[in-house]
Amino acid sequence: MSSSKGVKRGSPGADSEKNPLGDVDLSDQEAIKLQAIQKDIARVELALERRAQEKMLPVYEKRREVVKAINKFWAVALMNHAMVAVHAQHNSDQAALSYLEDLWIVRDPAESRCFTLEFHFKENPYFSNTVLKKEYKFVPPPVETEDKADENGITDAMLEFSWERDVEPQATKIDWKDDSKNLTKTHPRVNDEEDGEMPVEGGSFFNFFEVAQDPFDIGVTIANDVFPEAIEYFLGQVGGDELDSDEEDEDEEDEDEDEIDLEKPRTKKQKNA
């Protein structure tokens, strides 16, 4: 029976003396058992993730109604995330986002790791769309054999899910009211001629909708970070350190835009007991 070596990370002094942990042999049978355990763990983790999403849905629906009454709640929450703020650095982007009154996520029932983000806007001078959507469409790979779900609805194919392979981001057409208000035309996304995957300039935040690909993972960041902790982001309680950007002076070029205050709201000081 063949065997493989266990892997141990190098440590200081490993070259000068014999490593007492360097002679660990792993048989094929043991390797198969470890892989089976890894698969079991992944299966349970996915089931827990899907269950958590189901349990959180009514809570998010309750939050949805509450925050609709708070002016610029979602715009402030988004701008308090350092990475999102970088991609909405233009004053015109922030002005348009100030009309955002609701943000919602709809998960694919067949694959809950895929989703559609819905940005609901009130009447604004930029575009006529009331809802802008960003869909991350699930494209299931072919299954060679019958793949039966377990008691939690998890199949073997689900454990092989790959975001890069199984997901296709979709674009949404924005109906701009006027050419002068077309933010993606004013601030286009600039692609790198040598590296076609990563743009050298993201341009307007609204390129996120009009361009299918999401090389900066804006949608994943919003779905996994901002949406679940929206209240904390709105209050400025999370978000990490601010990112440095050489382009922060670009905001000044939009001097004709009304200045929109999307800074984090001030919280009342707690009284000492």
Side-chain angles (χ1 to χ4, degrees):
M1 181 178 294
S2 62
S3 62
S4 57
K5 293 287 186 180
V7 178
K8 178 185 178 297
R9 295 178 179 176
S11 57
D15 295 335
S16 59
E17 59 184 34
K18 185 178 179 180
N19 185 354
L21 301 179
D23 57 351
V24 178
D25 291 328
L26 185 66
S27 69
D28 289 345
Q29 187 176 7
E30 290 169 331
I32 291 173
K33 289 180 179 179
L34 290 179
Q35 291 172 354
I37 294 297
Q38 285 181 310
K39 192 173 183 179
D40 289 341
I41 292 173
R43 188 180 291 274
V44 172
E45 287 178 341
L46 181 55
L48 289 173
E49 178 183 323
R50 290 164 67 93
R51 181 61 176 158
Q53 291 170 353
E54 293 174 2
K55 296 289 286 184
M56 288 301 299
L57 183 58
V59 181
Y60 289 146
E61 289 174 339
K62 182 179 180 180
R63 182 188 69 184
R64 187 180 195 183
E65 295 305 313
V66 171
V67 303
K68 279 183 178 179
I70 301 175
N71 189 36
K72 302 175 184 175
F73 174 89
W74 282 107
V76 171
L78 288 169
M79 291 302 297
N80 276 344
H81 188 287
M83 192 275 276
V84 177
V86 166
H87 294 283
Q89 61 180 295
H90 299 290
N91 211 36
S92 52
D93 280 336
Q94 296 176 32
L97 283 173
S98 70
Y99 293 94
L100 179 63
E101 58 182 357
D102 185 28
L103 195 158
W104 192 244
I105 182 170
V106 178
R107 294 195 175 273
D108 189 320
E111 176 46 75
S112 62
R113 287 165 289 191
C114 296
F115 54 86
T116 298
L117 290 171
E118 297 180 352
F119 288 66
H120 296 255
F121 288 86
K122 56 188 175 182
E123 179 66 27
N124 65 82
Y126 294 91
F127 42 81
S128 57
N129 311 67
T130 56
V131 182
L132 294 180
K133 296 182 179 182
K134 184 66 177 183
E135 179 185 4
Y136 295 84
K137 185 178 181 180
F138 177 49
V139 183
V143 179
E144 296 180 358
T145 59
E146 186 178 356
D147 195 10
K148 294 183 179 180
D150 63 15
E151 67 275 12
N152 294 313
I154 307 300
T155 65
D156 286 341
M158 290 179 179
L159 302 181
E160 302 299 325
F161 174 80
S162 167
W163 182 268
E164 290 74 17
R165 182 194 64 201
D166 303 334
V167 179
E168 289 184 0
Q170 306 294 303
T172 294
K173 183 180 181 297
I174 299 179
D175 298 320
W176 300 101
K177 290 184 175 180
D178 187 87
D179 232 21
S180 65
K181 297 295 185 179
N182 186 335
L183 303 182
T184 57
K185 184 176 180 180
T186 304
H187 304 293
R189 180 177 291 181
V190 180
N191 293 319
D192 190 337
E193 295 181 359
E194 296 181 359
D195 181 6
E197 295 184 0
M198 185 59 64
V200 293
E201 172 57 55
S204 169
F205 174 81
F206 289 87
N207 286 302
F208 166 65
F209 298 103
E210 290 203 316
V211 181
Q213 297 304 313
D214 181 15
F216 303 108
D217 291 333
I218 297 173
V220 175
T221 298
I222 293 174
N224 293 345
D225 293 350
V226 181
F227 186 83
E229 300 184 52
I231 296 175
E232 287 79 7
Y233 276 101
F234 174 74
L235 296 175
Q237 296 173 347
V238 289
D241 297 332
E242 294 184 2
L243 299 179
D244 293 330
S245 174
D246 294 334
E247 299 168 348
E248 56 189 15
D249 293 335
E250 290 185 8
D251 290 346
E252 298 177 0
E253 65 188 66
D254 297 324
E255 294 177 355
D256 56 329
E257 296 288 350
D258 293 333
E259 189 169 325
I260 305 299
D261 183 9
L262 295 183
E263 295 181 357
K264 66 183 180 184
R266 296 182 179 179
T267 54
K268 296 181 179 179
K269 292 183 178 179
Q270 298 294 327
K271 295 181 178 179
N272 295 326

